[in-house]
Amino acid sequence: VGACLDAGIAKENIILDPGFGFGKTVQHNFQLLKKLEQFHSLGHPLLVGVSRKSMLGAVTDKAVDQRLAGSLAAAVIAAMQGVQILRVHDVDETIDALKVVHATQMGD
């Protein structure tokens, strides 16, 4: 964030992406997914892209084109931690899953 600000990027134009998969072990990726809400303290929107990632294949033993369920679970986990932007392959299915989460959260 500091480097972005120093480079003249306006604070409101900064979005944080923790970079799932890039130089991380499967365990590191799941630890990151578990603790996403800690990034909110940095004061910028979070973007998460875990759709079809190899970390999901490592757990489910599914090929890339068979990782929908894992991708939906990861998207829901991220959304429940307040992630504002999700990068996904299966847009309609992810929207449906998030609608169910939202309806459940609003059902007090």
Side-chain angles (χ1 to χ4, degrees):
V1 171
C4 290
L5 295 171
D6 290 346
I9 298 171
K11 182 178 193 255
E12 62 272 9
N13 292 331
I14 298 173
I15 297 171
L16 303 178
D17 179 351
F20 283 89
F22 295 96
K24 297 171 188 73
T25 67
V26 171
Q27 181 181 6
H28 291 151
N29 282 302
F30 280 103
Q31 289 171 343
L32 186 59
L33 183 60
K34 181 179 179 179
K35 298 179 181 185
L36 280 172
E37 62 186 18
Q38 292 181 7
F39 285 92
H40 293 300
S41 67
L42 298 173
H44 297 278
L46 295 178
L47 178 148
V48 167
V50 290
S51 180
R52 301 186 190 176
K53 290 281 188 176
S54 61
M55 63 186 268
L56 303 174
V59 171
T60 63
D61 197 29
K62 301 281 185 178
V64 172
D65 63 343
Q66 297 177 329
R67 295 182 186 161
L68 175 60
S71 295
L72 293 174
V76 166
I77 291 166
M80 291 182 76
Q81 293 184 72
V83 168
Q84 294 91 341
I85 305 165
L86 295 168
R87 186 203 52 80
V88 301
H89 293 90
D90 303 287
V91 175
D92 290 338
E93 294 87 346
T94 303
I95 289 171
D96 286 349
L98 295 176
K99 284 180 179 179
V100 172
V101 170
H102 181 72
T104 302
Q105 291 174 329
M106 301 307 291
D108 289 341

